[in-house]
């Protein structure tokens, strides 16, 4: 398996390096080791924000603390002052992430649709979750209740751990290899089922065949313990102060260890990629031999 993590010096970040764009759209992870140290680039908490770095700042009913595209804070505990600081800190990271993407993939530009930005204060190693929700298992992102009909999930991460702990990921094989491995065992799409679960309010819109396949890929990967252990993969510890970027609907990934991370999500139609044939929608359409949306 080719190296799936591409190192990039922040000093070299310009406006749309073709090799980096091709790597990103092939499902590789772009890694910026000096994101938080080069000039004015990068993200670091301010002195007063250090008080936010505790696990009980998160509402136990929520997985993460997030700032939605409209500026609404969700999932936070603490008083009003804490929540105002959280919103400010998360918003500041969002601006840094959008600035990085503006230089990396300028053609995406106005086509990117801002999603949620989150602060994740929990210890990964001790989280107790069902196998479907357990992100310590290799997977590609897909969501049961939110069909996206091929829209991409572009994410920027930074490790903000104050004690030097890395954010440890496993990065797996390319998406087409995943798809070829698991497609033969997936259940066929049934339009009547998609209409029923939409009518019942289980999904927020009609699940397309693409959404059905992506969700089944996600579940098939996570449920296959032999695959988890033996699939082609590399383990990497992202140190504090760095950033990394990937399409999480395409990059096979899992998070194994760490605490305190920030993550920004933007959504993009595959029609606005540099290489439209590199998207999961294009790959699955080619492998299935018919339109999926």
């Amino acid at each position: 398996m080719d190296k799936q993590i591409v190192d990039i010096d922040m000093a070299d970040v310009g406006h749309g390096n073709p090799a980096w764009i091709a790597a990103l759209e092939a499902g590789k992870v772009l890694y910026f080791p000096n994101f938080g140290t080069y000039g004015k680039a990068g993200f670091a908490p301010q002195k007063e924000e250090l008080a936010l770095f505790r696990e009980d700042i998160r509402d136990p009913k929520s997985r993460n603390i997030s700032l939605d595209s409209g500026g609404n804070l969700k999932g936070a505990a603490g008083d009003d002052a804490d929540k105002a600081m959280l919103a400010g800190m998360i918003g500041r990271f969002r601006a840094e992430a959008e600035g990085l993407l503006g230089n990396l993939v300028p053609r995406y530009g106005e086509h990117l649709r801002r999603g949620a930005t989150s602060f994740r204060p929990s210890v990964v190693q001790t989280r107790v979750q069902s196998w479907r929700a357990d992100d310590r298992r290799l997977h590609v992102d897909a969501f049961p209740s939110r069909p996206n009909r091929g829209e991409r999930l572009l994410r920027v991460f930074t490790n903000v751990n104050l004690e030097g702990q890395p954010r440890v990921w496993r990065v797996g094989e390319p998406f087409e290899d995943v798809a070829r491995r698991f497609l033969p065992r997936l259940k066929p799409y049934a339009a009547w089922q998609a209409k029923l679960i939409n009518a019942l309010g289980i999904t927020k819109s009609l699940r397309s065949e693409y959404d059905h396949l992506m969700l089944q890929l996600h579940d098939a990967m996570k449920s296959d313990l032999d695959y988890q252990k033996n699939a082609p993969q590399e383990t990497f510890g992202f140190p504090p102060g760095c950033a990394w970027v990937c399409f999480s609907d395409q990059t096979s990934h899992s998070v194994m260890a760490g605490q305190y991370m920030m993550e920004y999500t933007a959504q993009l139609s595959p029609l606005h990629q540099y290489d439209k044939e590199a998207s999961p929608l294009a790959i699955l359409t080619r492998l299935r031999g018919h339109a999926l949306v």
Side-chain angles (χ1 to χ4, degrees):
M1 184 178 75
D2 291 341
K3 182 176 173 61
Q4 294 298 99
I5 299 172
V6 180
D7 291 25
I8 301 173
D9 192 316
M10 284 296 295
D12 297 330
V13 173
H15 297 278
N17 181 299
W20 299 341
I21 293 167
L24 178 67
E25 293 190 343
K28 295 181 185 290
V29 177
L30 304 187
Y31 166 51
F32 303 87
N34 58 346
F35 177 69
T37 59
Y38 179 72
K40 293 183 179 179
F43 177 84
Q46 297 174 352
K47 184 177 180 180
E48 62 272 18
E49 293 167 347
L50 298 180
L52 302 173
F53 284 71
R54 60 184 200 270
E55 283 207 75
D56 66 359
I57 199 69
R58 175 183 61 84
D59 184 330
K61 296 178 182 178
S62 300
R63 289 187 67 182
N64 301 300
I65 300 167
S66 63
L67 192 69
D68 69 17
S69 58
N72 301 302
L73 188 72
K74 301 177 181 179
D79 58 23
D80 289 346
D82 285 338
K83 291 177 181 178
M85 268 203 297
L86 279 165
M89 182 176 72
I90 296 171
R92 203 168 69 255
F93 169 68
R94 180 172 65 190
E96 295 284 358
E98 290 178 338
L100 177 60
L101 293 178
N103 283 325
L104 274 179
V105 281
R107 193 187 298 174
Y108 292 175
E110 63 190 29
H111 304 296
L112 284 174
R113 184 162 61 86
R114 178 187 282 177
T117 307
S118 64
F119 174 53
R120 305 185 179 196
S122 299
V123 177
V124 170
Q125 300 93 304
T126 56
R127 277 191 315 214
V128 178
Q129 297 176 303
S130 70
W131 66 267
R132 277 193 176 91
D134 187 357
D135 288 342
R136 291 171 296 189
R137 301 188 183 203
L138 284 168
H139 64 284
V140 291
D141 284 347
F143 305 108
S145 65
R146 305 198 306 274
N148 64 22
R149 307 181 69 83
E151 193 171 49
R152 309 305 315 280
L153 297 172
L154 180 59
R155 290 188 157 147
V156 181
F157 306 86
T158 189
N159 182 355
V160 289
N161 188 279
L162 303 177
E163 299 176 352
Q165 297 176 9
R167 190 82 173 183
V168 180
W169 270 31
R170 289 185 295 150
V171 180
E173 61 188 340
F175 181 83
E176 184 160 344
D177 294 351
V178 173
R180 288 184 180 277
R181 186 187 299 269
F182 286 103
L183 277 177
R185 40 176 126 161
L186 303 187
K187 296 177 182 178
Y189 173 73
W192 69 266
Q193 288 180 329
K195 291 176 182 176
L196 176 62
I197 62 175
N198 187 43
L200 293 173
I202 296 171
T203 57
K204 298 187 185 333
S205 60
L206 188 66
R207 185 182 289 172
S208 67
E209 185 173 357
Y210 168 81
D211 297 296
H212 168 81
L213 291 175
M214 288 295 290
L215 187 59
Q216 290 228 2
L217 280 177
H218 171 278
D219 289 357
M221 292 172 74
K222 283 191 173 182
S223 65
D224 189 332
L225 296 182
D226 180 70
Y227 180 77
Q228 293 294 321
K229 181 179 179 181
N230 297 312
Q233 58 191 273
E234 59 182 289
T235 301
F236 190 86
F238 294 99
C242 80
W244 62 106
V245 180
C246 70
F247 279 110
S248 67
D249 55 326
Q250 182 172 12
T251 303
S252 172
H253 65 286
S254 68
V255 55
M256 304 305 296
Q259 183 181 18
Y260 302 119
M261 186 189 74
M262 304 195 76
E263 176 263 319
Y264 167 80
T265 298
Q267 291 161 271
L268 177 75
S269 166
L271 297 175
H272 299 302
Q273 288 190 216
Y274 289 73
D275 180 2
K276 298 177 181 61
E277 297 306 309
S279 72
L281 176 58
I283 291 168
L284 290 175
T285 299
R286 175 164 48 80
L287 293 177
R288 274 298 199 230
H290 59 262
L292 301 178
V293 297

